[in-house]
Amino acid sequence: MMDLIKENCTACGACSNICPNESITMIPDSEGFLYPYVCKEACMCCGLCESVCPIINRPDCENTSDPKVYAAWSIDEEVRFNSTSGGLFTELAKAVISKGGCVTGARYNKEHLVGHYIIDSEREIPLLRQSKYVQSETGNVFKHIKERLDKGKQVMFVGTPCQGAGLQSFLGKQYDNLLLCDFICRGSNSPKVYMKYLESLKKQYRSDIKKVWFKNKINGWNKFCTKIEFENGKEYYADRYTDLFMRGYLKHNLYIRPSCSNCYFKGFPRHSDITLGDFWGVKLNDDESIDTDKGTSLVIVNSSIGQQCFNSLGDRIFKKESSLEAALPFNQCAVKSVDMGEKRDYFFSEIDKEDFTELINKIDRNEDRI
Ligand SMILES: Cc1cc2nc3c(=O)[nH]c(=O)nc-3n(C[C@H](O)[C@H](O)[C@H](O)COP(=O)(O)OP(=O)(O)OC[C@H]3O[C@@H](n4cnc5c(N)ncnc54)[C@H](O)[C@@H]3O)c2cc1C
C-alpha cells in the first residue's frame, strides 16, 4: 500500500500505471493537483506502487555530469516562431517520426486542460508544440509507451524532469529505442487555478476561448507574452508583467505544485537523454549575432543516445557549442527549486470565493492583510 508523503508526490503517474489491479486513481486535491488515491478494497498490497515511485526509489542514472551544451534553433522560420524557444522539440520529433517512431508530449484538450498523448505523424507535431504552463496529466500513457517500446518501435518522450523519471522507473530497464527528453522546469501550475484564470478572461471577453498560446513571439521571444484567442474573434495579449497568470506564477510563486519547491530532479546528472530550455542571456556571450529575439534553445545533451539524435538533425538547425557556465547563470531553475510564495496559503484560501483577476490584483496591491 502506497505510503508516500503528499508534499513530495509529483503526480508522475508511475504508481497508477503499474498497479496490476487498477486500484490507484489520480484525484485532484483542494488546490487542483492530482494525487494517487488507493482503493483499499481493490488493493492486493503487492507493493509495486511503492517500489516504482521515483521519489521513494530514485531510478539509476548513468548519464554524464559533464554534458555537452549548445545554443540552437530550427532554421525553419515557421517552426521557430511557433515554438517556445528555438524549436528544437519539433526538429527532434520530426527526426524520430521520419524513422517510423512516435512522440509523446503534452497537448491541450477541448477544455484547454493539458494531458500527455502519443502522436505518430509529422502532421500532429503542432498539437504537442509549445509550453503549457499547467501540469499535464499523464493518464495511462506510460503503459502505452511500454507496449510500443516492447514491439521495437522508436519512442520519444517529452515531459517535466519528474515525469521523465517516473517513466524510467515504470519501465524498469534501459531501452535503446527510447529518447527521453525533459526541459528545465520552473514548476508545474495548478490546473484548477489555470481554469479559474481562463474563466475570469471568458467573463471579461464574454466569449469562450479558442486557443491559449503562452510565450507568443509576435513582439519578440524576450517579451514572454500570453496570447488568447476567443471564439468571438477578440484577442487578449499581455506580457509577463501584465498577464495576471504569469504574475502569480513568476512574481508571487502562488500556485506551483508543492513538490516543485523541493524538486528531486534538479542539477546533474540528469535522467533524460536531452534537456531543452531557453538560452536566456545568449547574447551576452562573445558572438553577438547569435541573439535575434526569435528564440534560442538551450540544448543539454546528457547521453550518447541524445548525442546521436541531436547530431542527426544536421543542417536543419543552427547550432553553436556552449557550456553550462555560460547557460546556468541565466537559468537557475536547472539546478534550484523555486520557493513557494508567502501569499500562497492566502491565495488558496480565497480562490474559491473570489474572481482570479480580482484576487491577483488584490495580492499585487498588498491588500490581503496576511
Ligand atoms: C511548466 C514549464 C516550465 C518551464 N520552465 C522553464 C524554465 O524555467 N527555464 C527554461 O529554460 N525553460 C523552461 N521551460 C521549457 C521551455 O519553455 C521550452 O518548452 C523548451 O525550451 C522547449 O522549447 P522548444 O522550442 O524546443 O519546443 P516547444 O515546441 O516549445 O515544445 C515544448 C515541449 O514541452 C512539452 N510540454 C509543454 N507543456 C508541457 C507540460 N505542461 N508538461 C509536460 N510537457 C510539456 C510539449 O509536449 C513539447 O514537447 C518550461 C516549460 C514548461 C512546460
Side-chain angles (χ1 to χ4, degrees), residues 186-197:
R186 190 178 195 280
S188 290
N189 291 308
S190 156
K192 169 174 157 176
V193 171
Y194 165 76
M195 290 315 275
K196 295 267 184 193
Y197 159 70

Side-chain angles (χ1 to χ4, degrees), residues 139-151:
N140 284 331
V141 90
F142 291 177
K143 284 191 211 175
H144 297 306
I145 290 174
K146 185 172 185 312
E147 278 165 21
R148 292 180 185 227
L149 288 170
D150 285 337
K151 283 185 190 150

Side-chain angles (χ1 to χ4, degrees), residues 80 82-90 103-107 114 116 128-136 156 158-160 163 183-189 215 217 249 276-280 297-298 331 333-334:
R80 192 174 179 198
N82 286 297
S83 301
T84 314
S85 306
L88 263 285
F89 156 69
T90 294
V103 177
T104 312
R107 65 169 281 190
V114 180
H116 261 67
L128 305 187
R129 200 183 275 153
Q130 296 174 0
S131 289
K132 293 99 186 163
Y133 290 103
V134 61
Q135 184 154 40
S136 170
M156 173 180 175
V158 188
T160 58
Q163 288 169 337
F183 44 80
I184 296 175
C185 181
R186 190 178 195 280
S188 290
N189 291 308
K215 274 167 87 177
K217 294 178 181 166
Y249 179 35
L276 297 174
D278 291 292
F279 208 138
W280 300 124
S297 289
L298 168 61
N331 227 323
C333 290

Side-chain angles (χ1 to χ4, degrees), residues 31-45:
E31 294 183 349
F33 293 109
L34 294 175
Y35 287 92
Y37 166 79
V38 185
C39 171
K40 292 195 174 97
E41 291 72 36
C43 174
M44 302 187 299
C45 298

Side-chain angles (χ1 to χ4, degrees), residues 70-74 80 83-88 215 217 221-222 276-283 285 289-299 318-320 322 331:
Y70 302 87
W73 60 70
S74 168
R80 192 174 179 198
S83 301
T84 314
S85 306
L88 263 285
K215 274 167 87 177
K217 294 178 181 166
W221 171 52
N222 282 283
L276 297 174
D278 291 292
F279 208 138
W280 300 124
V282 68
K283 71 172 174 214
N285 297 335
S289 69
I290 216 166
D291 184 28
T292 62
D293 206 24
K294 290 181 178 172
T296 301
S297 289
L298 168 61
V299 185
F318 165 89
K319 69 175 178 212
K320 184 175 164 77
S322 184
N331 227 323

Side-chain angles (χ1 to χ4, degrees), residues 147-246:
E147 278 165 21
R148 292 180 185 227
L149 288 170
D150 285 337
K151 283 185 190 150
K153 193 156 173 124
Q154 180 89 20
V155 179
M156 173 180 175
F157 176 86
V158 188
T160 58
C162 54
Q163 288 169 337
L167 172 63
Q168 219 181 19
S169 252
F170 171 80
L171 295 172
K173 64 170 189 172
Q174 229 23 57
Y175 281 87
D176 289 344
N177 47 339
L178 172 67
L179 176 71
L180 194 57
C181 294
D182 63 3
F183 44 80
I184 296 175
C185 181
R186 190 178 195 280
S188 290
N189 291 308
S190 156
K192 169 174 157 176
V193 171
Y194 165 76
M195 290 315 275
K196 295 267 184 193
Y197 159 70
L198 295 187
E199 284 304 323
S200 184
L201 285 175
K202 274 158 70 172
K203 243 187 330 189
Q204 288 168 43
Y205 283 76
R206 295 165 199 256
S207 171
D208 279 337
I209 283 165
K210 194 164 151 196
K211 186 176 172 186
V212 180
W213 184 344
F214 287 114
K215 274 167 87 177
N216 175 283
K217 294 178 181 166
I218 194 89
N219 288 333
W221 171 52
N222 282 283
K223 283 275 190 300
F224 219 108
C225 283
T226 303
K227 179 180 178 189
I228 296 183
E229 293 169 22
F230 292 88
E231 292 289 357
N232 63 6
K234 290 189 177 161
E235 284 184 358
Y236 161 92
Y237 196 79
D239 70 19
R240 60 181 296 175
Y241 302 107
T242 47
D243 176 67
L244 295 185
F245 186 73
M246 281 298 160

Side-chain angles (χ1 to χ4, degrees), residues 299-316:
V299 185
I300 303 176
V301 180
N302 304 303
S303 73
S304 53
I305 289 182
Q307 191 69 56
Q308 235 175 348
C309 198
F310 183 66
N311 292 347
S312 78
L313 301 183
D315 57 11
R316 301 176 69 102

